Amino acid sequence: MDRSDAPLYFQFFNEIGIIGQLSRTMLEAELPKGLLAPHFSILNHAVRVKDGQTPLALAKAFQVPKTTMTHSLGVLERHGLIELKPHPKDGRSKQVWITPAGRSLREGVVEATGPAFAAFAERFDPEVMQDVVPKLAEMRAFLDAARDED
Amino acid sequence: MDRSDAPLYFQFFNEIGIIGQLSRTMLEAELPKGLLAPHFSILNHAVRVKDGQTPLALAKAFQVPKTTMTHSLGVLERHGLIELKPHPKDGRSKQVWITPAGRSLREGVVEATGPAFAAFAERFDPEVMQDVVPKLAEMRAFLDAARDED
DNA sequence: ACTACTTAGTGCGATATTGAACTATATGCA
DNA sequence: TGCATATAGTTCAATATCGCACTAAGTAGT
């Protein structure tokens, strides 16, 4: 890396951080009281990616410590949005299943955030995203792998 | 936005969130105990962008509530890394100045994170970044503006 | 089967984040 | 000037995050 390129890389992580912060705040504006972005992400993951995951798998998927996941799952369970069942194959583990209430809440939030998404999509068309998103995915994969090496 | 494009936009914010999380964790691995990423960001901002800013300006720059900034500045001040002085023009306000200790700590962290940055730069060369970063900056600006409209 | 090691999840304490309410100061306007 | 309103920052309480230490359960080598 040439010395003069450093600010570019620095700005990259800076922009990433701010976009993350902004989108998080925008999402939370649409969530019912008592729920924050990480809670919603878990519900969303259950619907979009895979239901019945273990807490540890979720912690890895979201890159948070497992203690944080324990806490978040507790909140969702108290709200009746997920169910924690014993894992059928592993006595140490559990499975996280979304409840009908969880599904319905998630659906409502998706609808509520629709206009904001649409406005963003109007300004940045799919061609731009098709260019940028795969690169971000590569970068994410690279950083993820670098972390595992320690 | 065509219905089929939605996942692309969704994935964008997802990747952003995970990269943010990963880079934050990697940075914090190089910070002395008691300091976290937001603290470092403030020191870095003072060196790279502008010293002597008001707490509110910093809160806006980092997109956090001002109460969060009050807290973070308190931590930095207790560590002797910044100084809070009364604002010369506005009796309600303050100015945040980095101390020599703050500068030196920031310098050390920049050096410590050098190798990780270099590895990233080796994998993703400046051409890619020059393509991606301005787009991210535009998106950040768009989201920032959308937020102000409320 | 026994033992050593690994893995999944939890309890707890320290710190971070944030909204609501508050104080002090500044500004706009009659 | 005087008063209403706006702004900068803090305090406080509720919740989130996370490292450390722990328990329970699985796994591998003997």
Side-chain angles (χ1 to χ4, degrees):
Chain A
M1 173 172 61
D2 189 291
R3 191 164 198 76
S4 65
D5 292 326
L8 188 62
Y9 289 88
F10 183 84
Q11 192 194 350
F12 170 74
F13 289 103
N14 213 31
E15 299 291 359
I16 291 278
I18 294 177
I19 292 174
Q21 183 85 27
L22 283 166
S23 58
R24 180 187 156 118
T25 304
M26 291 168 81
L27 169 62
E28 287 178 353
E30 304 300 337
L31 290 177
K33 189 174 172 134
L35 285 194
L36 296 172
H39 306 129
F40 174 78
S41 302
I42 293 166
L43 295 180
N44 205 44
H45 190 266
V47 172
R48 284 186 23 95
V49 183
K50 199 173 191 339
D51 204 2
Q53 295 278 76
T54 68
L56 191 58
L58 291 171
K60 282 179 179 154
F62 293 108
Q63 307 291 346
V64 296
K66 56 187 181 171
T67 51
T68 303
M69 189 52 60
T70 297
H71 181 268
S72 300
L73 293 175
V75 171
L76 289 170
E77 193 181 31
R78 280 194 293 283
H79 280 79
L81 302 171
I82 60 163
E83 252 187 325
L84 283 169
K85 299 188 179 178
H87 195 287
K89 301 273 184 69
D90 187 336
R92 296 166 303 178
S93 192
K94 298 185 173 175
Q95 284 184 324
V96 178
W97 297 95
I98 191 168
T99 63
R103 253 173 224 285
S104 136
L105 184 143
R106 183 252 171 199
E107 192 55 40
V109 173
V110 167
E111 278 175 35
T113 53
F117 259 89
F120 186 85
E122 178 129 0
R123 172 66 182 77
F124 301 97
D125 53 48
E127 286 71 33
V128 176
M129 305 308 282
Q130 258 146 20
D131 176 45
V132 169
V133 170
K135 287 171 183 160
L136 290 179
E138 268 189 85
M139 292 172 185
R140 185 255 307 149
F142 176 84
L143 294 172
D144 205 356
R147 183 187 51 104
D148 285 342
E149 283 163 15
D150 302 338
Chain B
M1 173 171 60
D2 190 289
R3 190 165 199 76
S4 65
D5 292 326
L8 188 62
Y9 290 87
F10 184 83
Q11 194 194 349
F12 170 73
F13 289 103
N14 214 29
E15 299 290 0
I16 290 279
I18 294 177
I19 293 174
Q21 183 85 24
L22 284 166
S23 58
R24 180 187 156 116
T25 304
M26 291 168 81
L27 169 62
E28 287 178 353
E30 304 300 336
L31 290 177
K33 187 169 174 139
L35 284 194
L36 296 172
H39 306 131
F40 174 77
S41 302
I42 293 166
L43 295 180
N44 206 44
H45 190 267
V47 172
R48 284 187 22 94
V49 183
K50 199 172 190 341
D51 203 1
Q53 294 278 76
T54 69
L56 191 59
L58 291 171
K60 282 179 180 153
F62 293 109
Q63 307 292 346
V64 297
K66 56 187 181 171
T67 51
T68 304
M69 190 50 62
T70 297
H71 181 268
S72 299
L73 294 175
V75 171
L76 289 170
E77 193 180 30
R78 281 194 292 284
H79 280 79
L81 303 171
I82 59 163
E83 251 186 326
L84 284 169
K85 299 189 179 177
H87 194 287
K89 302 272 185 68
D90 187 335
R92 296 167 302 179
S93 191
K94 297 186 174 175
Q95 282 183 324
V96 179
W97 297 95
I98 191 168
T99 63
R103 251 172 225 285
S104 137
L105 184 144
R106 183 255 172 197
E107 191 57 38
V109 173
V110 167
E111 277 174 36
T113 53
F117 258 89
F120 185 86
E122 178 130 0
R123 172 68 184 74
F124 301 97
D125 53 48
E127 285 72 34
V128 176
M129 305 309 281
Q130 259 147 19
D131 176 45
V132 169
V133 170
K135 287 170 182 160
L136 291 178
E138 269 189 85
M139 293 172 184
R140 185 254 306 149
F142 176 84
L143 293 172
D144 204 357
R147 185 187 49 104
D148 286 342
E149 282 162 17
D150 302 338

